[in-house]
Amino acid sequence: IQCGLDADEYQGGDVCCNSDNGETICSDEAGVETEGDFLSGDFCLTPALRGTIPVGFGNTPYLEVLDVSNNLLTGNIPPEIGLLSRIELLDLSNNTLTGSIPSTLGVLVNAAVLVKDNIIITGQHKDDQVAPLSICNDVRGFDLFHDPMWCPPERNLMRKFYDEAKGQEWTNSTGWVDEFNNHCKWYGVECNEEGLIVSLMLGNGGLSGRISDAIGNLTSLQKIDLPENDLKGSIP
């Protein structure tokens, strides 16, 4: 507890106060409670969690709930968090975490993974980022799962197309199913200004297997060219 701090020295967020049975209770936007008269200038500050998330959490395989939301945690999300194979709730929301969302979290298929209200999500470079493909495709409890900016639906559809057409055997699969690569930058894919696929050109590319039904959900697709491959089935 830090006491004797003047209000004009306070470096936290906006402070809101309310009265509870005649006692005034104040807290800032991160949930840090203050004691004393904030407006008069002298009060005590009870800090929230600060610092970075320890990588050692990855060494606690029996952990089922990790809730460090509504604090002042900084730095990156440790990739080691993906080692928590039994985790059911991973709540990192409402901190000041930066960097990118680790692709290792994509294995937490049975967990609720919450990351909203961090600098990762709200920062000035957010328009340049997408969440890892594996999280958007496999982790239904991801709180950005239905956010088309972070988890473009057509990227998931193209992942299905890639898998069913044996993409690992293609002669050129540059960019395909890369965790952080926008699907509009995948080889043979062309998008419009809205980020929707309008053309798929993969002729003579070593495609085999079958043509995925996912193609039928590309609502803006205008041209598809897949000659000289060994695909089975028809275009949906």
Side-chain angles (χ1 to χ4, degrees), residues 13-228:
D14 295 334
V15 173
C16 298
C17 301
N18 58 68
S19 180
D20 184 11
N21 295 324
E23 180 183 3
T24 300
I25 299 176
C26 299
S27 65
D28 72 5
E29 60 188 2
V32 180
E33 291 190 358
T34 64
E35 300 175 8
D37 189 352
F38 181 84
L39 297 179
S40 68
D42 188 32
F43 66 100
C44 295
L45 174 64
T46 304
L49 293 175
R50 285 172 166 79
T52 59
I53 301 174
V55 299
F57 276 121
N59 297 321
T60 55
Y62 296 101
L63 190 66
E64 295 182 352
V65 175
L66 177 57
D67 185 350
V68 290
S69 60
N70 301 302
N71 284 291
L72 298 173
L73 296 172
T74 58
N76 298 334
I77 300 173
E80 291 81 1
I81 295 293
L83 298 174
L84 300 176
S85 58
R86 300 192 182 188
I87 198 77
E88 297 177 0
L89 172 63
L90 175 63
D91 192 349
L92 310 177
S93 61
N94 199 16
N95 281 283
T96 53
L97 298 171
T98 54
S100 58
I101 302 169
S103 59
T104 54
L105 302 188
V107 301
L108 306 181
V109 296
N110 297 315
V113 178
L114 313 179
V115 298
K116 285 184 178 180
D117 298 319
N118 277 284
I119 294 176
I120 294 175
I121 311 304
T122 62
Q124 61 178 341
H125 300 301
K126 66 180 184 301
D127 293 338
D128 299 328
Q129 299 190 41
V130 290
L133 176 58
S134 57
I135 298 180
C136 293
N137 195 68
D138 303 326
V139 184
R140 299 285 175 170
F142 181 45
D143 61 355
L144 297 173
F145 189 88
H146 296 291
D147 187 320
M149 183 183 77
W150 286 89
C151 289
E154 291 195 349
R155 187 173 60 149
N156 286 354
L157 295 175
M158 286 292 90
R159 164 72 180 273
K160 186 176 180 181
F161 174 84
Y162 175 89
D163 289 341
E164 295 187 20
K166 299 183 180 180
Q168 68 276 10
E169 300 176 1
W170 296 359
T171 58
N172 191 342
S173 58
T174 303
W176 280 76
V177 301
D178 180 272
E179 287 284 2
F180 293 98
N181 200 2
N182 189 294
H183 63 287
C184 295
K185 298 178 180 179
W186 295 359
Y187 174 76
V189 176
E190 181 183 350
C191 296
N192 59 21
E193 294 181 354
E194 287 73 39
L196 300 175
I197 297 173
V198 295
S199 175
L200 183 61
M201 310 286 286
L202 294 170
N204 193 24
L207 282 68
S208 59
R210 63 182 298 273
I211 300 176
S212 173
D213 292 341
I215 294 295
N217 293 317
L218 300 176
T219 56
S220 296
L221 185 64
Q222 300 173 7
K223 184 176 183 179
I224 181 168
D225 191 7
L226 305 172
E228 299 183 52

